[in-house]
Amino acid sequence: MNADDPRSRQLDELQQVATRLGLAFGREAEAAETPAERVALFNLFDRCFFSVRVSIALQLRLRREARRQDREDAREDRDAPETEREEALERAEAPERLDYTERDRDREAERASLPLLLDTLDGVVSGAAA
């Protein structure tokens, strides 16, 4: 995925809007008079920047996937004899199992997906409207 891709431009635009909203909510939270107002505005600030983090992670993931696909396409373009490919497949070992710490680390990471980003932005919009 490159910068000319419409999906990339859309994510950039969403990220810029969420950043601007987050900064505005942050300024309002700092200027709030009551603790209840501060907490409410901070929650909106926090949701905006969660959206920013998710959109960044999603862009990085999409770019990584595009690079991986490009490498796979380049690998397929090389004309290796069929016998070598078959031998390599026969010798392929079972994939390594993840140890427990790697699985835990994966669970703790924020997963980036477009539905998660859109759900978060919907929450920001409804919170802002309230």
Side-chain angles (χ1 to χ4, degrees), residues 75-92:
R75 210 175 291 136
E76 289 175 4
D77 289 344
R78 287 187 235 131
D79 291 329
E82 288 295 320
T83 56
E84 288 180 20
R85 286 186 192 164
E86 290 172 7
E87 289 174 10
L89 289 174
E90 290 172 6
R91 286 182 277 154

Side-chain angles (χ1 to χ4, degrees), residues 7-21:
R7 296 175 301 171
S8 180
R9 284 195 307 270
Q10 288 172 341
L11 278 172
D12 285 338
E13 290 172 11
L14 288 171
Q15 182 181 342
Q16 291 170 6
V17 169
T19 300
R20 287 192 306 270
L21 282 171

